[in-house]
Amino acid sequence: MAADQPTCIAIANQKGGVAKTTTTISFGVGLHDLGYRVLMVDLDAQACMTFSLGVDPDSLERSVHDVLTAGADAREVILQTEDGPDLLPASIDLAAAEAMLLTRTGREYALRTALEDLTEAGESYDFILLDCPPSLGVLTVNALTAAGEVVVPLQCETLSHRGVGQLLETIEDVRKMTNRKLKVRGILPTMYDGRTTHAKDVLADVAMRYEVEVLDPPIARSIRFAEAPAAGRSILRTASRTRGADAYRVHARALAADRAPMQEVGT
């Protein structure tokens, strides 16, 4: 039997445009295709993951905002996506959640509590993937408090990795204060062009400077990643034979291998 408790992974980097949403969706669809039950949580008020999965954020009556701030039952907010995984969607209302949570006792635990309530209610997800906003605010801290692991997507450019140290400091603070079990799974190179010395140098510098594992294979730069959200689908559906899609499948298999033997899924 697979473990009762879901494997919860935060996809975090306070810099925008580094493929957090693409990574979350691709991990989720890859794991679904391996036979796992997956929930993806959109924690960004821009609702990019929600939109990228074919859901109009402006048409939602309720979103993750209501779960975090109003005690709504997540089971009544979760949507099933065309690509397979379930989605706890976001809307622009989430922009107010930071201010609302700041006034509350135990604000860092709002998401963890909601996810624990899901499990206790019998929703047996194997994986829960958290798409963090491009900041180190209350919502990101909520994700880090709820997660067991963090994956840091990193665009392979000098300016893109300047904030990695700050993120790792925040992760260390979360370890001390709210989640002692939190681990950094590694840095995932995205928009990678292996033909350039610069990209290779950035990766080498990150690995040496922060002593964090660099996950392999890197995700190659491709216009296919920009095209997928317009279709409301994952690249694993719209361009399934590309190098990028294949790389994400490798990472999904690595995540699955750490959870349970493949033949035991769903037994």
Side-chain angles (χ1 to χ4, degrees), residues 148-210:
E149 292 184 323
V150 188
V151 172
V152 184
L154 176 71
Q155 185 179 2
C156 298
E157 297 179 357
T158 299
L159 292 178
S160 297
H161 83 76
R162 293 184 64 190
V164 171
Q166 188 178 359
L167 173 60
L168 295 177
E169 289 175 3
T170 299
I171 290 170
E172 188 58 34
D173 288 342
V174 168
R175 278 199 192 106
K176 293 176 181 177
M177 303 300 295
T178 63
N179 185 2
R180 292 186 179 276
K181 296 181 179 179
L182 182 63
K183 298 179 181 179
V184 178
R185 184 175 184 89
I187 290 173
L188 177 64
T190 60
M191 295 175 250
Y192 183 73
D193 187 348
R195 298 170 299 179
T196 67
T197 301
H198 178 66
K200 297 175 182 177
D201 289 345
V202 168
L203 281 188
D205 180 59
V206 168
M208 179 179 65
R209 184 187 302 263
Y210 303 113

Side-chain angles (χ1 to χ4, degrees), residues 21-96:
T21 295
T22 295
T23 295
T24 308
I25 293 173
S26 300
F27 280 1
V29 174
L31 288 164
H32 168 82
D33 290 350
L34 291 172
Y36 291 91
R37 190 170 184 225
V38 181
L39 173 66
M40 301 185 295
V41 182
D42 192 346
L43 292 170
D44 188 351
Q46 297 177 75
C48 291
M49 182 163 72
T50 299
F51 177 82
S52 297
L53 287 166
V55 178
D56 179 7
D58 297 330
S59 69
L60 294 171
E61 294 184 4
R62 291 188 295 179
S63 72
V64 68
H65 168 79
D66 300 281
V67 175
L68 296 178
T69 65
D73 187 339
R75 292 175 297 173
E76 299 177 1
V77 182
I78 289 171
L79 305 173
Q80 186 170 11
T81 70
E82 191 173 354
D83 281 2
D86 286 353
L87 169 69
L88 187 52
S91 69
I92 191 62
D93 293 341
L94 194 58

